[in-house]
């Protein structure tokens, strides 16, 4: 496609707008570059221990400095981020375990089960959750979820702890892995639901009708025809939600219980995540005269960025591939709902 | 041949499948209702009109500084992101060779996948420390703008894509210059989509906390209009940090801040959706 016929004007306009358009590219590279350069001293000091050790200690910030491999470091400083990585992994993975089935069902219902005003309303309300500020959700977690876990859920679950070790106490405050998991699950649900709903809505009416013609019930059409048709998009939607859960900071900071230097052992253990620990530790890191604490946080931020950008980029590719396949198969007439589809899914 | 048990199972699975779907949806909507209900109840129970004209002092006082700070930050960040965002969207949809457009869209997706705390952290090392700006409005606004930019670009891009390139070619064929085509035809037709994307981006700016903690800092003073070297307060900070204080007055402030945030974000979202729907007609 030749974009616009050549005129002297086009060059200028194209250059100006094109310059603005490189901004996202430049910003992404800048973020990655700054973190990578800034993380080098911490990686030189710690090596692989940065991600395999469980002790995160900024050292004596007002005392002498020692030199490790030629780099000045506060005495006693040790940067082992394993608990943060484990906390991130567990909280986000468990959140997906809770959110995926619920979000998938909600997407199925809003795509096929509801019509007209009801469909629009349910879709808008679920999308609204994605727009809520994370501190508001965190505050709700503290006010509603944490007391619920402490007073209602934990006494029941810990009774099973005798047989299932990861359900055992102590419960302390109700803040911890379970609270973080549920808050994250709520935050990623609208992301998965709206992505999946759009994909499901694009499944061509013909193949759904073929399902009905073959004698399938309406639920069987969903399960055996529609969901397989958007398979790679589903994986993408889940990865998109997962990337969100990994990067979420404030809500986890508020309800996670701020663990340091311990790995979570039960559902009620206090945890911290990579994102939450960056927010939590920056204040203290500022007072490090050698600046090593900041380099260590840069390394954490770099790890976080690589993981979450990796999952979300992968997910977008999968969603787009699935969506393109659908577009290719779909002709404009499909927009009109045929009597078959509307009867079967009403 | 007839398989009565199989038929029964199939018949039972149908209402079961849809039933669980309804329950899941109700569960999600109930969580939303619980959030809005609880924040409204707690916020309104402790609400005094004087929070609008009193500044925060210690763990009590009002929210004047935070309200004005949030608006001040959101104004600057939206200005900073809307201009290049709309330009990038226009370029992507109508001017760029397809391969370039693809690369820019990809970069937008990468950028929107970066956790906000990472953007805040880099803002801190580059703007606050590197440039020596200290905690200030501009550093906070730039961090927020980096988060908003991909949303506005995508909204503009999608708004123009809906129009299709036929409109562009038609306008050119009618004798408009490319500049007129982009500005008069494209931008005007995409205006509802652009505005709704900008409002959604403003709602994001109002609700963010993590990127501001170490770029905007915190201040109990009303923003004085300066962009550099002076920290600025914002509502999300109050909602986050005052709930951890052991005083009822501090909790009341946190609830009030959350209430104001909720109202502000909902108004912006509803306005954005209204505009987007008008644009579709």
């Amino acid at each position: 496609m030749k974009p616009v016929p050549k005129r002297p004007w086009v060059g200028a306009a194209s250059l100006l707008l094109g310059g603005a358009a490189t901004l996202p590219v430049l910003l992404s590279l800048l973020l990655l570059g700054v973190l990578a350069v800034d993380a080098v001293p911490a990686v030189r000091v710690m090596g692989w221990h940065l991600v395999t050790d469980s002790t995160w200690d900024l050292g004596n910030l007002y005392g002498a400095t020692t030199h490790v491999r030629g780099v000045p470091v506060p005495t006693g400083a040790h940067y082992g981020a394993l608990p943060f990585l484990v906390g991130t992994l567990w909280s986000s993975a468990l959140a997906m375990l809770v959110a995926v089935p619920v979000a998938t069902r909600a997407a199925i219902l809003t795509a096929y089960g509801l019509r007209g005003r009801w469909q629009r309303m349910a879709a808008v309300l679920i999308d609204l959750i994605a727009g809520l500020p994370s501190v508001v959700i965190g505050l709700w977690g503290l006010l509603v979820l944490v007391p619920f876990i402490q007073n209602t859920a934990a006494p029941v679950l810990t009774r099973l702890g005798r047989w299932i070790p990861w359900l055992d106490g102590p419960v302390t405050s109700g803040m911890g892995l379970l609270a973080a998991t549920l808050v994250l699950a709520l935050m990623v649900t609208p992301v998965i639901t709206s992505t999946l709903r759009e994909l499901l809505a694009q499944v061509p009416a013909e193949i759904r009708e073929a399902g009905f013609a073959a004698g399938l019930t309406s639920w069987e059409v969903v399960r055996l025809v529609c969901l397989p048709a958007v398979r790679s998009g589903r994986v993408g939607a889940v990865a998109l939600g997962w990337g969100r859960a990994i990067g979420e900071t404030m809500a986890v900071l508020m309800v996670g219980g701020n663990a340091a230097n311990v790995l979570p052992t039960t559902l009620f253990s206090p945890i911290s995540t990579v994102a939450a620990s960056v927010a939590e530790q920056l204040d203290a890191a500022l007072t490090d005269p050698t600046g090593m604490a900041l380099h260590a946080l840069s390394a954490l931020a770099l790890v976080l960025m690589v993981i979450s950008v990796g999952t979300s980029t992968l997910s977008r590719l999968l969603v787009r591939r699935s969506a393109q396949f659908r577009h290719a198969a779909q002709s404009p007439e499909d927009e009109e709902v045929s009597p078959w589809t509307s009867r079967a899914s009403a | 041949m007839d398989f009565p048990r199989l038929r029964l199972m199939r018949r039972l699975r149908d209402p079961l499948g849809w039933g669980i779907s309804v329950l899941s949806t109700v569960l999600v909507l109930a969580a939303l209702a619980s959030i809005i209900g609880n924040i409204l109840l707690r916020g309104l129970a402790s609400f005094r009109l004087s929070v609008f004209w009193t500044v925060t002092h210690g763990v009590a006082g009002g929210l004047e500084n935070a309200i004005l700070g949030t608006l001040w930050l959101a104004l600057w960040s939206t200005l900073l992101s809307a201009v290049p965002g709309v330009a990038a969207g226009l370029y992507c949809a109508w001017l760029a060779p397809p391969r370039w457009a693809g690369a820019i869209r990809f970069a937008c997706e990468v950028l929107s996948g970066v956790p906000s705390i990472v953007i805040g952290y880099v803002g801190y090392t580059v703007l606050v420390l590197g440039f020596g700006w200290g905690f200030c409005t501009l550093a906070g606004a730039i961090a927020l703008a980096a988060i908003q930019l991909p949303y506005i670009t995508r909204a503009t891009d999608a708004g123009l894509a809906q129009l299709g390139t036929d409109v562009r070619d038609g306008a050119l064929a009618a004798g408009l210059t490319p500049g007129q085509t982009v500005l008069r035809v494209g931008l005007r037709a995409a205006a509802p989509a652009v505005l709704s994307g900008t409002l959604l981006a403003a709602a994001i700016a109002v609700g963010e906390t993590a990127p501001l903690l170490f770029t905007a800092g915190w201040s109990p003073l009303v923003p004085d209009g300066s962009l550099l070297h002076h920290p600025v307060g914002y509502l999300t900070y109050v909602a986050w940090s005052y709930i951890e204080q052991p005083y009822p007055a501090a909790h009341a402030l946190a609830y009030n801040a959350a209430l104001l945030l909720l109202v502000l974000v909902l108004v912006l979202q509803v306005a954005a959706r209204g505009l987007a729907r008008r644009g579709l007609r």
Side-chain angles (χ1 to χ4, degrees):
Chain A
M1 180 186 77
K2 197 88 178 175
V4 180
K6 277 278 177 221
R7 295 198 196 178
W9 223 107
V10 187
S14 200
L15 212 64
L16 205 66
L17 297 180
T22 53
L23 211 54
V25 184
L26 292 178
L27 272 175
S28 309
L29 292 176
L30 179 85
L31 290 171
L32 202 63
V34 167
L35 289 179
V37 170
D38 213 33
V40 167
V43 175
R44 266 179 69 190
V45 169
M46 293 302 297
W48 283 111
H49 293 288
L50 192 64
V51 290
T52 55
D53 279 9
S54 298
T55 312
W56 186 275
D57 186 347
L58 298 183
N60 183 355
L61 299 179
Y62 307 101
T65 55
T66 52
H67 284 255
V68 180
R69 293 188 197 96
V71 187
V73 175
T75 310
H78 194 88
Y79 310 103
L82 187 63
F84 306 140
L85 288 167
V86 171
T88 304
L89 196 69
W90 274 117
S91 61
S92 60
L94 289 176
M96 298 316 288
L97 209 63
V98 176
V100 169
V102 174
T104 308
R105 296 295 180 123
I108 291 171
L109 189 78
T110 43
Y112 300 133
L114 300 174
R115 294 258 155 242
R117 183 189 296 169
W118 288 100
Q119 183 180 39
R120 255 201 320 275
M121 211 159 71
V124 166
L125 286 176
I126 291 175
D127 284 351
L128 206 59
I129 301 176
L132 292 177
S134 55
V135 280
V136 167
I137 295 186
L139 201 60
W140 171 80
L142 277 180
L143 293 176
V144 179
L145 203 57
V146 168
F148 172 78
I149 290 171
Q150 189 179 13
N151 303 324
T152 314
V156 179
L157 291 174
T158 44
R159 219 167 281 177
L160 299 170
R162 199 179 302 167
W163 300 283
I164 309 168
W166 47 268
L167 281 179
D168 210 353
V171 179
T172 58
S173 65
M175 292 190 222
L177 181 56
L178 183 59
T181 294
L182 294 178
V183 161
L184 286 177
L186 179 62
M187 295 179 87
V188 300
T189 295
V191 178
I192 304 175
T193 302
S194 63
T195 312
L196 198 54
R197 182 181 60 229
E198 269 160 36
L199 290 173
L200 285 174
Q202 287 171 4
V203 172
E206 286 95 335
I207 63 169
R208 293 183 57 209
E209 284 165 9
F212 288 116
L216 299 183
T217 64
S218 67
W219 184 252
E220 282 169 338
V221 168
V222 169
R223 204 166 52 86
L224 302 173
V225 178
C226 300
L227 286 181
V230 296
R231 190 182 296 130
S232 69
R234 267 170 88 196
V235 176
V238 171
L240 192 66
W242 199 22
R244 264 320 144 76
I246 288 170
E248 174 51 37
T249 312
M250 299 315 293
V252 178
L253 195 58
M254 289 170 89
V255 304
N258 288 333
N261 302 341
V262 256
L263 294 173
T265 50
T266 76
L267 215 46
F268 307 104
S269 304
I271 59 148
S272 188
T273 62
V274 178
S277 68
V278 173
E280 162 106 88
Q281 306 235 343
L282 195 49
D283 249 342
L286 302 188
T287 57
D288 185 341
T290 65
M292 187 52 65
L294 277 178
H295 293 307
L297 286 187
S298 292
L300 277 189
L302 182 66
V303 169
L304 180 63
M305 178 168 172
V306 169
I307 297 176
S308 61
V309 166
T311 47
S312 66
T313 306
L314 182 77
S315 72
R316 301 248 183 216
L317 291 177
L318 288 169
V319 170
R320 198 185 308 153
R321 209 178 64 183
S322 175
Q324 268 172 359
F325 167 67
R326 286 305 129 214
H327 274 306
Q330 192 178 27
S331 53
E333 295 90 83
D334 295 337
E335 304 279 316
E336 290 173 17
V337 178
S338 74
W340 281 103
T341 2
S342 56
R343 196 206 64 177
S345 57
Chain B
M1 254 196 282
D2 197 26
F3 300 99
R5 267 189 65 188
L6 190 67
R7 217 168 51 195
L8 183 70
M9 285 228 336
R10 286 185 57 196
R11 201 171 288 170
L12 282 179
R13 278 194 87 149
D14 218 52
L16 190 72
W18 288 110
I20 294 174
S21 301
V22 171
L23 280 181
S24 303
T25 311
V26 168
L27 181 72
V28 176
L29 295 180
L32 175 69
S34 171
I35 293 173
I36 293 183
N38 269 285
I39 299 295
L40 279 183
L41 273 180
R42 302 255 187 170
L44 286 175
S46 58
F47 200 77
R48 288 168 295 110
L49 272 179
S50 61
V51 296
F52 286 115
W53 55 79
T54 324
V55 294
T56 328
H57 39 87
V59 293
L63 294 169
E64 189 193 2
N65 52 328
I67 294 167
L68 293 176
T70 289
L71 296 178
W72 183 237
L73 280 165
L75 175 74
W76 277 103
S77 71
T78 308
L79 280 178
L80 285 175
S81 59
V83 174
V86 170
L90 283 171
Y91 182 76
C92 252
W94 274 12
L95 291 174
R99 184 175 293 184
W100 268 111
I104 293 159
R105 286 186 192 119
F106 181 75
C108 280
E109 287 167 4
V110 168
L111 195 59
S112 66
V114 177
S116 57
I117 183 72
V118 171
I119 290 180
Y121 180 81
V122 174
Y124 173 77
T125 54
V126 174
L127 304 174
V128 175
L129 289 186
F131 293 177
W133 288 357
F135 292 141
C136 63
T137 306
L138 193 58
I142 290 176
L144 288 177
I147 296 167
Q148 294 172 293
L149 181 70
Y151 284 89
I152 296 181
T153 303
R154 207 180 304 156
T156 309
D157 189 9
L160 281 174
Q162 253 179 357
L163 222 57
T165 44
D166 290 354
V167 177
R168 179 195 69 189
D169 298 341
L172 288 170
L176 293 180
T177 66
Q180 288 170 325
T181 307
V182 167
L183 293 176
R184 296 231 181 124
V185 180
L187 203 53
R188 185 171 296 177
V194 170
L195 267 178
S196 107
T198 309
L199 285 179
L200 278 181
I204 291 170
V206 165
E208 278 291 355
T209 323
L212 291 177
L213 290 175
F214 303 105
T215 51
W218 160 255
S219 163
L221 303 174
V222 171
D224 56 1
S226 63
L227 289 178
L228 296 177
H229 304 300
H230 292 277
V232 59
Y234 40 95
L235 285 167
T236 45
Y237 180 89
V238 181
W240 166 57
S241 78
Y242 279 46
I243 197 67
E244 317 221 314
Q245 304 287 333
Y247 311 105
H251 288 183
L253 268 194
Y255 299 148
N256 289 343
L259 174 69
L260 291 175
L261 277 172
L262 194 66
V263 171
L264 211 53
V265 167
L266 288 186
V267 165
L268 285 171
Q269 292 233 355
V270 168
R273 276 176 211 289
L275 268 174
R277 281 193 64 190
R278 260 186 63 187
L280 279 180
R281 262 175 223 160

